[in-house]
Amino acid sequence: ETGVTQTPRHLVMGMTNKKSLKCEQHLGHNAMYWYKQSAKKPLELMFVYNFKEQTENNSVPSRFSPECPNSSHLFLHLHTLQPEDSALYLCASSQEPAGGPGETQYFGPGTRLLVL
Amino acid sequence: DAKTTQPNSMESNEEEPVHLPCNHSTISGTDYIHWYRQLPSQGPEYVIHGLTSNVNNRMASLAIAEDRKSSTLILHRATLRDAAVYYCILRDWGTSYDKVIFGPGTSLSVIP
């Protein structure tokens, strides 16, 4: 069982590029998340999907666009990013509906993004 | 918002027990206490969670104070693979996600 996988693991892009990050979970979970982890900063929750429906957008700029075509896949589409968007982007999934008190999140290894 | 405070860093000798403290003095009655850890170059992984009673699993033990204003994650025998950042987090049923905050955590170093 590979749990939560993310591709690519590393990405370098220019500010005018468009790219997408992919997350896939093989755990049969109902909720999926995107987090951002900047250097020496705590994780910041970006987006939450419950049963393919976006339930939270934590004041994320529109240059980040999530997509959840089914409960196993989550994408983060990137366009016209800024250098300060360089960070580790982590995907996670959980079994219970997001917000459940016993909810345990399983994280992927992350995509290390560098914006030039 | 209920928040947690943890020491920035701690050190432990290999094969010794480690007690990682967390203060959450503004915890509400419906907040669950969760612990995650993040090893170098990896995503966070779940360690343990509890509400009121002490909890044990194969990774660690969680000791919760009677007034629930603090808790302690206990690693019974630290190994070099336990060197990581440990996060103490409060999760409330139906919480708004802008209130779910990973703090800076405690960076645990294990000395051989």
Side-chain angles (χ1 to χ4, degrees):
Chain A
E1 179 184 270
T2 53
V4 181
T5 58
Q6 291 187 242
T7 54
R9 294 294 308 277
H10 301 272
L11 178 62
V12 180
M13 60 187 288
M15 289 189 285
T16 58
N17 292 157
K18 289 184 180 181
K19 297 286 184 183
S20 295
L21 309 184
K22 178 182 177 182
C23 175
E24 185 172 0
Q25 58 96 359
H26 310 272
L27 302 169
H29 288 167
N30 301 318
M32 297 187 77
Y33 312 77
W34 279 116
Y35 287 86
K36 174 184 178 183
Q37 187 172 34
S38 303
K40 300 190 184 300
K41 289 185 180 179
L43 279 79
E44 302 170 56
L45 181 66
M46 300 175 73
F47 300 105
V48 180
Y49 279 82
N50 263 315
F51 295 94
K52 302 185 297 178
E53 297 296 322
Q54 183 175 320
T55 55
E56 294 292 336
N57 176 338
N58 200 19
S59 302
V60 180
S62 59
R63 56 186 183 270
F64 296 91
S65 174
E67 178 189 2
C68 188
N70 55 62
S71 57
S72 299
H73 294 86
L74 186 64
F75 295 89
L76 187 62
H77 304 299
L78 315 172
H79 63 97
T80 59
L81 293 193
Q82 304 298 310
E84 59 264 29
D85 296 322
S86 299
L88 180 68
Y89 288 85
L90 290 155
C91 173
S93 69
S94 64
Q95 173 64 30
E96 300 174 62
E103 172 198 342
T104 298
Q105 295 189 12
Y106 293 78
F107 284 80
T111 295
R112 179 74 61 186
L113 174 67
L114 177 61
V115 181
L116 301 176
Chain B
D1 303 341
K3 294 182 180 177
T4 63
T5 57
Q6 302 175 251
N8 289 335
S9 61
M10 290 184 64
E11 273 187 359
S12 172
N13 294 318
E14 195 176 11
E15 299 190 4
E16 295 285 321
V18 183
H19 291 235
L20 297 163
C22 181
N23 288 319
H24 27 80
S25 58
T26 58
I27 191 171
S28 74
T30 53
D31 281 334
Y32 279 69
I33 303 159
H34 286 245
W35 283 82
Y36 284 76
R37 72 179 186 181
Q38 188 172 17
L39 280 66
S41 302
Q42 293 188 26
E45 65 174 344
Y46 166 80
V47 178
I48 201 166
H49 78 278
L51 181 62
T52 56
S53 303
N54 294 345
V55 184
N56 299 298
N57 66 20
R58 64 176 179 82
M59 289 181 70
S61 296
L62 176 61
I64 301 173
E66 195 169 335
D67 63 6
R68 302 211 324 124
K69 294 186 176 182
S70 65
S71 60
T72 302
L73 179 70
I74 303 167
L75 307 179
H76 295 287
R77 284 180 72 242
T79 70
L80 297 178
R81 288 176 293 180
D82 290 323
V85 178
Y86 286 79
Y87 301 100
C88 170
I89 303 157
L90 299 182
R91 302 301 303 271
D92 186 17
W93 180 272
T95 188
S96 170
Y97 281 90
D98 61 355
K99 296 181 181 178
V100 177
I101 301 172
F102 276 78
T106 297
S107 179
L108 175 66
S109 301
V110 179
I111 303 168

